[in-house]
């Protein structure tokens, strides 16, 4: 499950979630835009950054960590200070590190050199498996917590969140954006889930408008296009074209052409 991509989608679609995790007012999001920044001299890009509209407000950096990495703090602070050096050393900053669980955090010895930062109000560590959610928990936080939810709890919670999204977001683009997000998490955690099960969960009408359904439609169209191309192979064979030439003309794999020809014999 590619967690970074899902987190950054959540922060893009529901940016107030970041400030809710921090314990700040979600209204702060009105003064920020979520983006990525490039460190000029290293050509390295920091993907999760909340940039303030007012330069007097702090920049918020975020890092998602789901595997053990003893250098995670060193790397993050190195990126932050490189950004400050390249831009303005007087810039105010904050950093949030989101761990799957406390067990993958660097040991006390490994984080000794950065412990003063970790003890300061500049840095906040979030351990997803320790977040307790209820029906009153902000929507974005509930969605984030799904990433570490046990599979037996996942379907019940996703079904409840789908109903909440449909009731809360009457604007179709916003509703579909969040349903796409929930669908991405479900398919990442339960890749064997059938279309029928997804229809029962999301509803047929809404599912047909999600990214998953659109990909299925495109896949079907591609299959239809390939089928049409295959039907022209006998005529090309009759005109004396070789397998390689037919594949080049129809822009198909040589093996696809050979397999179809075998079905004709």
């Amino acid at each position: 499950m590619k967690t970074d991509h899902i987190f950054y989608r959540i922060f893009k679609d529901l940016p107030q979630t970041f400030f809710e995790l921090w314990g700040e007012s979600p209204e702060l999001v009105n003064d920020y835009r979520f983006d990525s920044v490039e460190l000029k001299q290293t050509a390295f890009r920091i993907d999760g950054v909340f940039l303030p509209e007012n330069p007097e407000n702090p920049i918020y950096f975020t890092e998602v960590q789901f595997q053990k990495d003893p250098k995670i703090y060193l790397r993050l602070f190195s990126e932050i200070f490189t950004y400050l050096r390249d831009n303005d050393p007087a810039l105010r900053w904050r950093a949030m590190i989101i761990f799957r669980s406390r067990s993958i955090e660097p040991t006390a010895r490994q984080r000794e050199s950065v412990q003063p930062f970790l003890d300061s109000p500049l840095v906040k560590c979030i351990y997803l498996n320790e977040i307790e959610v209820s029906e009153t928990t902000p929507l974005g936080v509930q969605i984030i917590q799904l990433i570490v939810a046990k599979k037996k709890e996942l379907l019940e919670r996703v079904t409840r969140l789908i109903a909440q999204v449909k009731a809360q977001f009457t604007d179709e683009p916003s509703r579909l954006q969040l349903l796409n997000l929930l669908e991405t998490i479900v398919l990442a955690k339960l890749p064997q889930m059938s279309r029928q099960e997804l229809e029962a969960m999301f509803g047929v009408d809404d599912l047909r408008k999600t990214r998953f359904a659109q990909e299925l439609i495109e896949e079907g169209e591609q299959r239809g296009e390939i089928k049409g191309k295959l039907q022209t192979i006998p005529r090309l064979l009759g005109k004396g074209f070789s397998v390689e030439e037919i594949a080049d003309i129809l822009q198909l794999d040589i093996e696809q052409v050979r397999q179809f020809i075998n079905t004709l014999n």
Side-chain angles (χ1 to χ4, degrees), residues 3-236:
T3 52
D4 287 14
H5 172 69
I6 292 177
F7 268 97
Y8 298 139
R9 273 191 60 187
I10 293 172
F11 290 149
K12 197 77 173 176
D13 295 347
L14 290 170
Q16 67 270 24
T17 302
F18 177 86
F19 297 97
E20 289 165 339
L21 281 173
W22 192 284
E24 297 278 10
S25 168
E27 293 181 2
L28 271 179
V29 73
N30 297 322
D31 299 323
Y32 284 84
R33 60 183 174 87
F34 184 64
D35 209 338
S36 59
V37 297
E38 187 171 340
L39 304 180
K40 299 173 185 176
Q41 294 187 19
T42 63
F44 189 82
R45 183 173 294 275
I46 307 176
D47 289 326
V49 184
F50 281 88
L51 297 168
E53 301 296 340
N54 183 347
E56 294 301 313
N57 291 334
I59 297 174
Y60 286 87
F61 297 88
T62 182
E63 181 77 20
V64 178
Q65 194 64 29
F66 267 55
Q67 296 178 340
K68 278 185 174 291
D69 181 356
K71 298 181 180 179
I72 175 62
Y73 289 130
L74 295 174
R75 188 174 70 249
L76 175 62
F77 293 132
S78 174
E79 292 168 357
I80 291 172
F81 295 135
T82 299
Y83 179 83
L84 296 180
R85 183 197 64 191
D86 288 349
N87 292 275
D88 181 355
L91 289 172
R92 299 169 63 206
W93 63 272
R94 303 286 186 272
M96 177 188 289
I97 306 95
I98 301 173
F99 291 100
R100 183 190 69 218
S101 65
R102 198 178 293 268
S103 63
I104 65 169
E105 187 179 17
T107 65
R109 180 66 184 87
Q110 291 168 342
R111 62 178 186 263
E112 183 176 339
S113 61
V114 298
Q115 194 61 49
F117 286 117
L118 301 179
D119 292 337
S120 77
L122 300 177
V123 179
K124 182 176 285 291
C125 295
I126 301 292
Y127 309 100
L128 286 184
N129 67 325
E130 297 179 14
I131 295 177
E132 295 185 6
V133 297
S134 67
E135 293 183 4
T136 59
T137 302
L139 176 63
V141 177
Q142 290 190 60
I143 292 176
I144 278 182
Q145 222 278 332
L146 288 175
I147 296 172
V148 294
K150 295 179 180 178
K151 290 183 179 180
K152 62 182 180 181
E153 302 172 352
L154 181 69
L155 297 182
E156 179 183 346
R157 289 173 54 185
V158 169
T159 301
R160 187 172 66 244
L161 286 173
I162 289 171
Q164 182 178 342
V165 167
K166 290 183 177 182
Q168 186 174 337
F169 294 86
T170 55
D171 175 61
E172 183 171 88
S174 299
R175 184 179 75 253
L176 290 178
Q177 188 177 51
L178 294 175
L179 291 178
N180 272 317
L181 187 56
L182 289 169
E183 181 187 65
T184 298
I185 295 173
V186 169
L187 291 175
K189 292 182 73 72
L190 302 173
Q192 303 305 319
M193 198 166 191
S194 69
R195 179 176 59 82
Q196 289 78 13
E197 290 172 312
L198 286 169
E199 284 180 352
M201 181 178 293
F202 286 86
V204 175
D205 289 340
D206 278 318
L207 182 65
R208 286 174 180 169
K209 297 174 185 176
T210 62
R211 187 175 292 110
F212 171 75
Q214 294 303 314
E215 288 173 356
L216 287 181
I217 291 171
E218 289 174 8
E219 182 180 337
E221 290 174 347
Q222 289 172 359
R223 288 179 179 176
E225 182 181 348
I226 291 173
K227 185 177 179 180
K229 289 180 178 180
L230 293 175
Q231 297 304 317
T232 66
I233 290 177
R235 283 190 294 156
L236 293 171

